[in-house]
Amino acid sequence: MEKTLAYWQDKAATLSIEGRAFIDGEYRHAASGRTFDCLSPIDGKLLAKVADGAAEDVNAAVAAARRAFDSRVWSGLNPRQRKAILLRWAGLMREHLDELSLLETLDAGKPIGDTTSVDVPGAAYCVEWFAEAIDKIGGEVAPADHHLVGLVTREPIGVVAAVVPWNFPILMASWKFGPALAAGNSVVLKPSEKSPLTAIRIAQLAREAGIPAGVFNVVPGAGEPGKLLALHPDVDCLAFTGSTNVGKLIMQYAGQSNLKRVWLELGGKSPNIVMPDCADLDRAANAAAGAIFYNMGEMCTAGSRLLVHRDIKDVFVDKLIAAARSYTPGNPLDPKTSMGAIVDQVQLERVLSYIEAGRAESKLLLGGGRVKQESGGYYIEPTIFDTAPNAKIAREEIFGPVLSVITFDTVEEAIRIANDSEYGLAAAVWTANLTTAHEMARSLRAGTVWVNCYDEGGDMNFPFGGYKQSGNGRDKSLHALEKYTELKSTLVRLR
Ligand code: NAD
């Protein structure tokens, strides 16, 4: 059956939405009884009243996670038993693909075509990937003096708190809980208050799959539960994805409490550099538009600074504008929509204020306005400015569909502008020259560099994370397991 706008609207009308926290294997109201309103950015209407977690809820979740960890009910399973349960959980996410995708679209305003093809299957795949890995990797027998046997092993770290953002709610969460659970930890997940619904729903699926009570907990709420988790003396590790400002606070909270391990995936202002010898300007222009307008620009890796060589600038900008026009904001429930709603009113106003700043200091090439206001939702059209590299809009992370086009004349200048940022999450170079490609890739201070593409390689095999104030540690790949394990040396004297 073709899934049309009417199909998704009908389904939305009868969807039952859970808004309670999930602690120690069951749904619970916040101990205070307080809730917050979870609104849909599609039309500004109420979706659910969600538990507003506070100290009592965080303490209960951490205590449940600790009990589960200490009892070894999860960490003590054979790796292949954990694998089987995690695979069942991922299978249930796939079985509930429509429901989870719909929740994600209603909650975060993401196009349904994306949530059904990227967000939900991507989260299931992440869980599968780490489940499949965990019974295949072992430790080391280290060279040691003859009278010793020396083992180097990895052990789960204990209670892992995951605090995540709203732009890819289930996917970003899975990048934390996938490896953390596979390694044998207990997890307390704090979803963003702007998009808590899929996290809450998959907790029930975790129980159905056989993940024991207390091993996976979800405490929704605004900043408060995140802060309480970061300050908690019984949380061993805090894995965070979000803004650089909050990331800085989280490090301080860890320092004020128990020096828990802190892993930060933070913001970005990624440069996308088009050299004059780029072999396919049409492809590069399409990719440049996708790099900033996919997911309404709410992407940590957004190619928000487009650096174009002066010789090709005029031609390239024409192609870019044509490509950008294919991202017309539409109803996220319509499978034909490529650009959905901005997550909420606060973010809408933030993006619009950057557009105002852009109008004051740069030349507007496309867009620049709020649209579809009659829907009651929050929509902004693709917006492009021709700007200087030091303009506010070219330096600060906007997290919306606003692109800064910057002109350069030499490779050295491009590298200098690209690296002149507090961030270092990703970068891209378009060139037909192999030497230029490699030399520029080496010079760019970023955790991921794409050459002649953007945002590709979305599988699990590549570590993902940033240099500089884009964070520390890496999500995805086997390296992610390093974040959720302690290294132990065991030395056995034989005689
Ligand atoms: P945010 O920092 O405002 O919030 C992230 C999470 O932290 C939310 O769950 C929030 O409730 C919680 N939080 C807020 N204040 C807190 C506090 N004082 N202590 C503890 N937790 C607190 O970020 P956001 O607006 O949700 O997400 C957008 C940001 O996330 C952007 O900067 C974006 O670049 C970044 N991001 C990074 C990556 C990456 O992998 N590097 C991926 C996605 C998003």
Side-chain angles (χ1 to χ4, degrees):
M1 182 181 83
E2 198 199 342
K3 291 177 181 163
T4 58
L5 172 61
Y7 169 87
W8 291 109
Q9 283 173 326
D10 284 355
K11 218 171 157 52
T14 55
L15 187 65
S16 106
I17 300 180
E18 179 60 70
R20 288 174 294 174
F22 192 85
I23 296 172
D24 208 7
E26 60 179 27
Y27 284 117
R28 294 187 192 172
H29 295 290
S32 66
R34 278 206 323 263
T35 58
F36 63 91
D37 288 348
C38 178
L39 307 178
S40 175
I42 296 178
D43 52 14
K45 293 199 180 126
L46 182 72
L47 282 173
K49 297 250 178 214
V50 174
D52 194 7
E56 230 178 298
D57 313 291
V58 166
N59 291 340
V62 173
R66 173 62 60 195
R67 270 194 309 277
F69 186 73
D70 288 348
S71 73
R72 298 180 54 77
V73 64
W74 181 247
S75 61
L77 292 181
N78 292 327
R80 66 167 182 273
Q81 293 174 302
R82 279 204 302 276
K83 169 174 106 172
I85 295 171
L86 289 171
L87 289 178
R88 263 204 303 280
W89 190 26
L92 287 170
M93 291 182 201
R94 291 187 188 280
E95 274 174 38
H96 290 78
L97 174 69
D98 277 9
E99 180 197 351
L100 291 169
S101 304
L102 183 57
L103 272 177
E104 199 83 313
T105 288
L106 292 171
D107 204 2
K110 298 162 73 83
I112 192 79
D114 294 346
T115 52
T116 49
S117 65
V118 176
D119 298 74
V120 178
Y125 179 60
C126 176
V127 172
E128 287 160 356
W129 197 93
F130 285 102
E132 288 289 0
I134 206 65
D135 65 343
K136 296 171 189 71
I137 45 180
E140 304 154 29
V141 181
D145 288 356
H146 214 66
H147 64 281
L148 293 172
V149 173
L151 306 179
V152 182
T153 51
R154 285 199 171 271
E155 294 183 349
I157 195 164
V159 175
V160 172
V163 178
V164 297
W166 44 264
N167 61 332
F168 287 86
I170 191 174
L171 191 60
M172 291 299 103
S174 73
W175 289 6
K176 314 291 187 209
F177 64 64
L181 290 173
N185 298 283
S186 299
V187 170
V188 180
L189 171 62
K190 209 302 276 179
S192 168
E193 60 278 23
K194 298 179 198 259
S195 59
L197 300 179
T198 45
I200 294 173
R201 179 67 183 98
I202 58 169
Q204 175 71 35
L205 300 181
R207 282 296 283 143
E208 272 176 58
I211 294 182
V215 172
F216 183 70
N217 308 276
V218 180
V219 184
E224 194 60 15
K227 177 174 176 179
L228 292 167
L229 286 165
L231 282 167
H232 204 293
D234 210 21
V235 169
D236 299 300
C237 164
L238 196 138
F240 175 77
T241 298
S243 61
T244 294
N245 284 343
V246 176
K248 286 180 181 178
L249 290 175
I250 296 222
M251 272 203 158
Q252 292 173 39
Y253 300 149
Q256 285 164 29
S257 53
N258 62 342
L259 279 185
K260 55 181 66 63
R261 278 78 181 117
V262 170
W263 304 110
L264 304 172
E265 301 288 343
L266 308 175
K269 192 76 189 176
S270 299
N272 181 16
I273 306 171
V274 189
M275 298 300 292
D277 67 350
C278 167
D280 187 343
L281 288 183
D282 291 306
R283 192 181 167 85
N286 282 331
I292 183 68
F293 301 128
Y294 180 75
N295 207 49
M296 296 68 73
E298 296 166 348
M299 302 268 293
C300 51
T301 54
S304 50
R305 290 188 293 154
L306 178 66
L307 277 59
V308 188
H309 194 276
R310 191 176 305 277
D311 289 354
I312 52 163
K313 183 181 168 194
D314 291 345
V315 170
F316 192 77
V317 165
D318 286 347
K319 291 179 188 293
L320 171 71
I321 288 174
R325 289 193 199 283
S326 65
Y327 290 86
T328 310
N331 185 339
L333 288 174
D334 187 340
K336 296 194 205 74
T337 293
S338 56
M339 195 180 198
I342 303 292
V343 74
D344 69 357
Q345 172 108 26
V346 175
Q347 185 64 10
L348 174 98
E349 284 169 9
R350 185 182 143 86
V351 177
L352 290 175
S353 78
Y354 273 107
I355 292 177
E356 281 320 300
R359 285 180 196 274
E361 59 182 350
S362 307
K363 183 175 165 211
L364 183 67
L365 300 177
L366 183 74
R370 180 177 182 183
V371 291
K372 286 175 67 59
Q373 210 159 338
E374 70 292 349
S375 65
Y378 317 116
Y379 301 84
I380 294 178
E381 56 189 340
T383 298
I384 303 177
F385 284 100
D386 186 348
T387 188
N390 57 357
K392 180 181 168 79
I393 54 164
R395 298 198 68 80
E396 296 180 17
E397 185 183 46
I398 300 174
F399 226 56
V402 183
L403 176 63
S404 294
V405 180
I406 297 164
T407 315
F408 69 89
D409 291 292
T410 64
V411 172
E412 294 70 31
E413 188 189 7
I415 295 290
R416 186 178 51 70
I417 295 170
N419 285 339
D420 181 19
S421 169
E422 68 195 46
Y423 298 114
L425 191 56
V429 181
W430 296 78
T431 175
N433 184 306
L434 194 63
T435 301
T436 310
H438 280 291
E439 287 186 348
M440 290 185 80
R442 276 189 190 168
S443 304
L444 288 162
R445 306 267 303 144
T448 299
V449 177
W450 290 287
V451 176
N452 294 330
C453 59
Y454 204 98
D455 262 333
E456 287 198 24
D459 59 44
M460 278 292 133
N461 293 324
F462 297 92
F464 181 88
Y467 283 29
K468 299 191 269 182
Q469 292 188 46
S470 288
N472 66 335
R474 295 293 181 267
D475 279 334
K476 301 168 70 182
S477 84
L478 293 180
H479 296 285
L481 291 167
E482 293 159 17
K483 302 204 294 197
Y484 305 111
T485 49
E486 290 285 14
L487 264 187
K488 177 176 279 184
S489 295
T490 306
L491 292 125
V492 182
R493 190 181 171 101
L494 298 178
R495 64 185 68 190

